Amino acid sequence: MTLDRGDLDVETLLKIVLVLIAVLLVIEIFSAVLGLIPGIIRTIVMLVIALLIVLWLLDSI
């Protein structure tokens, strides 16, 4: 029984590595976008609260 180790060509290994790097980049971009969403939502909520306070103050003057 002989073991045929190293049957893959260098080009095939290079393609596998490049696909893995592309998947890693997509995951990093996706996590960065998802990390921005809570910050944007928090800013919008704070602006809405500030706007409501200003409108309430202008109505009571």
Side-chain angles (χ1 to χ4, degrees), residues 28-54:
E28 286 292 324
I29 291 170
F30 188 68
S31 66
V33 168
L34 286 181
L36 289 177
I37 290 174
I40 292 172
I41 292 174
R42 185 179 314 130
T43 304
I44 290 173
V45 169
M46 291 173 60
L47 287 174
V48 167
I49 291 172
L51 180 65
L52 288 174
I53 291 172
V54 168

Side-chain angles (χ1 to χ4, degrees), residues 1-31:
M1 176 162 94
T2 61
L3 295 176
D4 292 330
R5 297 185 70 179
D7 245 358
L8 293 176
D9 292 332
V10 173
E11 293 159 357
T12 306
L13 288 175
L14 183 62
K15 289 177 185 177
I16 292 171
V17 169
L18 289 176
V19 167
L20 290 175
I21 290 173
V23 169
L24 180 64
L25 286 174
V26 168
I27 291 172
E28 286 292 324
I29 291 170
F30 188 68
S31 66

